[in-house]
Amino acid sequence: MSAQDTIEPTRRDFLYIATGMAGAVGAAAVAWPFIDQMRPDASTLALSTVEVDVSSLQPGQSLTVKWRGKPVFIRNRTPEEIDAAKNVSLDELKDPLARNANLSSDAQATDVDRSAGAGKENWLIMVGVCTHLGCIPLGQQGEYGGWFCPCHGSQYDTAGRIRKGPAPENMAVPVFAFTSDTKIRIG
């Protein structure tokens, strides 16, 4: 047989290729339901973001919403609460980091970096879970007028920063954005 000779495909070659293709299609058809069931459920995707209307919140009022199974505190702070938080020296803080998912991880725990930002300093949005053991702190209580966790005595100030007690970190600020002057999208 020389290099110029061509081999004609036989009926057997066709049957091998056709059987192999049918097997591959069958394997894909069997595997697809298993692969498809790994996608997140529609209800899970719906919980990944929450839009909240805060138009009814007056200064000094709070609202708690559920996001990803956790409470999120939204507070329209009074000018006195903002001043109290601004007048705290960073040296006095137990945790000097902002813990704000909207900023870099090394952002300082200043009042403006813990709040919704310049021009919206009155808004404080944070995950309402004590960073000690995951309890839910009570609002506008404790020595600092912020949040108090009665389980182990952790006290947070009006910017959600840990000031006293066993909690090691400030309460976390989730990813959020104002979609309008009165609506906040969390997540």
Side-chain angles (χ1 to χ4, degrees):
M1 206 170 192
S2 70
Q4 295 174 344
D5 291 337
T6 60
I7 299 174
E8 290 291 321
T10 64
R11 183 170 186 224
R12 178 175 288 171
D13 293 335
F14 171 75
L15 289 174
Y16 282 146
I17 292 171
T19 304
M21 293 300 292
V25 168
V30 167
W32 178 250
F34 296 108
I35 295 167
D36 189 49
Q37 62 93 23
M38 290 185 229
R39 291 186 310 152
D41 183 51
S43 63
T44 303
L45 291 175
L47 291 175
S48 65
T49 61
V50 174
E51 191 158 310
V52 183
D53 183 4
V54 294
S55 60
S56 64
L57 282 183
Q58 298 300 313
Q61 292 183 328
S62 297
L63 174 68
T64 303
V65 296
K66 194 171 186 178
W67 173 68
R68 293 185 180 176
K70 297 177 184 170
V72 173
F73 299 153
I74 301 171
R75 180 148 179 89
N76 188 353
R77 299 185 300 169
T78 64
E80 295 79 25
E81 290 173 328
I82 296 167
D83 289 341
K86 283 184 179 178
N87 291 331
V88 174
S89 169
L90 292 179
D91 297 335
E92 295 177 35
L93 298 176
K94 197 171 176 183
D95 181 12
L97 299 176
R99 310 274 177 208
N100 186 336
N102 302 290
L103 304 174
S104 67
S105 61
D106 62 346
Q108 294 294 302
T110 61
D111 179 63
V112 73
D113 283 351
R114 295 278 305 156
S115 70
K120 293 192 180 292
E121 292 95 350
N122 59 312
W123 292 106
L124 185 65
I125 297 111
M126 61 188 182
V127 178
V129 175
C130 179
T131 59
H132 178 232
L133 291 175
C135 307
I136 310 299
L138 305 173
Q140 293 62 63
Q141 295 191 22
E143 289 178 40
Y144 305 98
W147 288 264
F148 172 69
C149 184
C151 300
H152 300 99
S154 294
Q155 298 191 39
Y156 300 86
D157 65 10
T158 58
R161 301 173 294 198
I162 182 63
R163 298 294 299 279
K164 189 175 184 182
E169 297 178 351
N170 300 323
M171 284 194 266
V173 176
V175 173
F176 71 89
F178 276 85
T179 57
S180 73
D181 285 340
T182 60
K183 290 199 180 186
I184 302 170
R185 187 184 67 245
I186 302 169

